[in-house]
Amino acid sequence: MTQVYVRRLFDQYAGRFDAALTVHLDYRGPTILRDAVDGVRAADASARIGSMLDLGCGTGLAGAAFRPIVDRLVGADLSPAMIEQAAAKGLYDRMVAADALQFLTEERERSEKYDLVVAADVFTYVNDLGPIVEATTHILAPNGLFTFTVETHDGDGVKLQQTLRYAHGTGYVRAALAAAGLTALRLAEASIRTEKGKPVPGLVVVAQASTVSDLLARAVA
Ligand SMILES: C[S@@+](CC[C@H](N)C(=O)[O-])C[C@H]1O[C@@H](n2cnc3c(N)ncnc32)[C@H](O)[C@@H]1O
């Protein structure tokens, strides 16, 4: 799936996205991710999060779910029209129209760090998750959290579905996290939307970056 295809798809969809997803597709990605993050933070769940990147922020539905607990919220998305819809909601401190991988690379060059990176229903448009997961590790603060959803399938590896969205197998997701040195704190089945009235099989993931002591141990090893 090319960037041009995805950008065009969402540029055309932007004006009716919120109604289409929340009313017709019963979209619950942002709520499911917020619950998952609250769950792993447990005792700290009421503590504020310093900075969050909403990767593939779209019209800002995930931004809205996390804004109440986040001090600084940055959004990036491939589609300028989706960004325009999100900007109109006044939720974000900074917004950038860019491809996720390109944006992550630039943020690393700027030495930006985030306590939380959220990608809600974005990786259904990405075939190989390896490079994005790896690039995310470089902008996560020590102990930072990376939470995302994928559509999944019974086999392993990546499958392009008839819907033209990618489904990622559980083993594939676990391997991508492990290869990037992230710890999977939660990896559970969760359906974030329906398709023709049926729940679409998916996974909700919360992974954690290494601690400062892990990083130091690796540096001296
Ligand atoms: C289904 S929407 C989800 C939007 C939002 N995260 C939400 O939960 O409502 C998928 C979004 O991912 C964006 N996207 C897809 N591939 C991307 C990429 N490679 N880089 C940046 N954004 C991407 C699309 O432009 C679209 O806005």
Side-chain angles (χ1 to χ4, degrees):
M1 210 176 298
T2 66
Q3 279 185 27
V4 173
Y5 165 81
V6 175
R7 188 184 305 120
R8 253 192 222 143
L9 176 73
F10 285 99
D11 277 349
Q12 286 168 7
Y13 204 9
R16 56 201 162 85
F17 182 86
D18 285 7
L21 262 82
T22 52
V23 179
H24 303 302
L25 299 177
D26 190 23
Y27 178 56
R28 292 170 301 118
T31 321
I32 285 174
L33 288 179
R34 173 71 200 270
D35 287 348
V37 168
D38 286 354
V40 303
R41 293 176 78 222
D44 287 339
S46 58
R48 296 191 62 76
I49 292 173
S51 57
M52 168 180 146
L53 169 62
D54 187 1
L55 200 59
C57 62
T59 59
L61 296 176
F66 283 90
R67 180 79 256 195
I69 55 163
V70 167
D71 289 336
R72 181 165 183 269
L73 181 59
V74 175
D77 198 284
L78 195 52
S79 158
M82 294 291 270
I83 291 262
E84 208 176 296
Q85 295 285 327
K89 295 177 183 168
L91 292 164
Y92 294 83
D93 299 296
R94 179 177 157 226
M95 304 205 77
V96 179
D99 166 62
L101 190 54
Q102 179 201 329
F103 180 75
L104 290 167
T105 306
E106 287 167 7
E107 289 298 87
R108 183 186 183 184
E109 284 162 10
R110 291 159 51 110
S111 302
E112 291 281 350
K113 293 284 180 200
Y114 293 90
D115 300 300
L116 174 65
V117 176
V118 173
D121 199 22
V122 179
F123 293 159
T124 39
Y125 302 94
V126 178
N127 182 351
D128 181 3
L129 296 186
I132 287 195
V133 172
E134 208 269 333
T136 300
T137 62
H138 297 293
I139 58 134
L140 277 176
N143 284 328
L145 298 177
F146 179 26
T147 189
F148 60 88
T149 59
V150 293
E151 287 184 14
T152 196
H153 61 104
D154 287 340
D156 210 350
V158 187
K159 192 168 146 189
L160 182 60
Q161 307 175 99
Q162 282 180 350
T163 53
L164 292 185
R165 290 198 300 268
Y166 292 104
H168 298 87
T170 308
Y172 175 91
V173 173
R174 281 194 189 281
L177 295 174
L182 293 171
T183 305
L185 299 181
R186 179 165 299 190
L187 199 153
E189 288 180 11
S191 177
I192 60 165
R193 58 191 276 170
T194 56
E195 189 88 42
K196 294 183 182 152
K198 286 192 186 149
V200 175
L203 302 173
V204 58
V205 178
V206 186
Q208 188 165 41
S210 307
T211 61
V212 173
S213 48
D214 286 344
L215 293 171
L216 286 174
R218 240 182 268 160
V220 294

